[in-house]
Amino acid sequence: MTAPLSSVKKALKILEAFTEDRTELGVTQIAHLLKSHKSSVSRILMTLMAEGFVEKTSLKNKYRLGMKLVELGNRALSRFDLKEYASPHLEALAQKTNEIIHLSILDKHEILYIDKKGADQVLTVATRIGGRNPAHACGMGKVLLSGLSQEELMKILSTAPLKQFTLTTITEIPKLLKELEKIRRQGFAVDNEESFPGIKCVAAPITDGRGKVIAAMSTTVPTQRMEKERIKELAALVMECARQISDQIKVRR
């Protein structure tokens, strides 16, 4: 006879029961998959829901994975091989453009800087590895937000008002949604002095093997050097660099 699963192991098995094909499950379905009692599954689901690991859907008695798992995934991303894969590409781009290059991931409503190259340039900005910036107010943040599902996006945007940092910061959700749609179409974002006056950025997404946006990179340039043609030039370079990193991630995973 099979020994009963411990509560922790059963909780992990419940989380693993959700797949790309089974995004929403009921208690009965989970109990059947785990060959466990409904009462036990229900109790564990209540605990997981209270901690944000699962959430109820609009359908009664249906559950799906919660945003807490996204948060934990993003924490893992900040310390694994993404930085190792990206570093030489970022360094090469910093040398080629003679500008500052950043790499970041999304953590709730903020971006987390995980690498920075070209910091010895004449112009430096107040960023550091491990530092944060509101996602709605910067190029990399807008790229990362554009890669979320509508549900994930609205959950983040509903947590707090969009704070204004400069005259060009986007503070209205409809306007931000329109901006994110534009980013999805063109493949890059422009930070029009939205975080720091006098500083513009061009950012592009880094994706995993399934095409999911897992990080963003950008080049940072003083406004006086960021004329229209320069934006086009940097956008092409940043997107190509992001593509190279994405391809490397796909091959090695």
Side-chain angles (χ1 to χ4, degrees):
M1 183 175 177
T2 304
L5 294 173
S6 71
S7 295
V8 173
K9 188 173 183 180
K10 188 176 289 185
L12 294 174
K13 289 294 183 182
I14 288 174
L15 295 177
E16 290 176 346
F18 295 90
T19 66
E20 291 185 8
D21 298 322
R22 298 193 303 257
T23 58
E24 297 183 359
L25 293 171
V27 175
T28 301
Q29 291 172 286
I30 297 172
H32 176 73
L33 289 168
L34 269 60
K35 296 181 173 57
S36 186
H37 294 294
K38 286 173 60 177
S39 59
S40 175
V41 169
S42 183
R43 285 196 302 271
I44 294 174
L45 279 169
M46 290 299 101
T47 300
L48 291 172
M49 187 167 67
E51 297 299 323
F53 290 100
V54 299
E55 57 189 26
K56 270 197 171 181
T57 69
S58 56
L59 298 175
K60 191 176 181 181
N61 295 326
K62 289 281 187 177
Y63 296 84
R64 63 185 164 216
L65 297 177
M67 290 299 293
K68 187 69 174 182
L69 292 170
V70 177
E71 178 184 343
L72 291 177
N74 281 333
R75 287 182 192 173
L77 280 173
S78 69
R79 51 174 284 277
F80 66 73
D81 44 21
L82 168 63
K83 184 175 177 179
E84 177 188 344
Y85 295 161
S87 185
H89 297 282
L90 302 180
E91 185 62 50
L93 187 59
Q95 294 295 323
K96 186 172 186 176
T97 61
N98 201 35
E99 307 291 358
I100 296 172
I101 309 298
H102 289 107
L103 177 69
S104 72
I105 59 171
L106 187 66
D107 187 12
K108 297 181 182 177
H109 64 284
E110 297 177 313
I111 66 166
L112 175 65
Y113 294 96
I114 61 174
D115 205 356
K116 180 177 182 179
K117 302 297 184 183
D120 57 343
Q121 304 300 340
V122 175
L123 172 82
T124 57
V125 292
T127 57
R128 60 180 176 80
I129 297 173
R132 294 171 179 270
N133 204 34
H136 74 280
C138 61
M140 288 190 294
K142 291 187 294 183
V143 162
L144 291 164
L145 291 176
S146 74
L148 298 177
S149 69
Q150 188 71 7
E151 185 176 6
E152 291 171 329
L153 176 60
M154 295 313 297
K155 188 164 186 175
I156 288 176
L157 296 182
S158 65
T159 57
L162 302 180
K163 185 177 177 181
Q164 185 165 13
F165 296 92
T166 70
L167 293 176
T168 54
T169 306
I170 298 175
T171 58
E172 300 172 3
I173 289 179
K175 187 175 180 180
L176 179 61
L177 295 178
K178 187 175 180 179
E179 174 79 354
L180 298 182
E181 181 56 38
K182 178 183 177 181
I183 292 166
R184 294 185 193 101
R185 290 197 309 269
Q186 66 186 17
F188 68 92
V190 176
D191 177 348
N192 185 29
E193 301 183 69
E194 294 161 49
S195 289
F196 305 99
I199 298 294
K200 291 189 177 183
C201 301
V202 179
I206 294 170
T207 59
D208 64 11
R210 297 178 298 170
K212 181 176 176 59
V213 177
I214 59 170
M217 59 167 294
S218 72
T219 181
T220 303
V221 184
T223 300
Q224 62 265 31
R225 294 209 309 269
M226 200 65 143
E227 65 279 0
K228 191 173 182 180
E229 287 306 311
R230 179 66 167 159
I231 291 176
K232 290 181 181 179
E233 176 191 355
L234 290 175
L237 290 171
V238 171
M239 285 193 292
E240 174 59 20
C241 186
R243 184 194 64 77
Q244 291 173 359
I245 297 169
S246 300
D247 288 347
Q248 191 169 356
I249 290 171
K250 293 171 191 174
V251 169
R252 293 199 182 185
R253 289 195 173 183

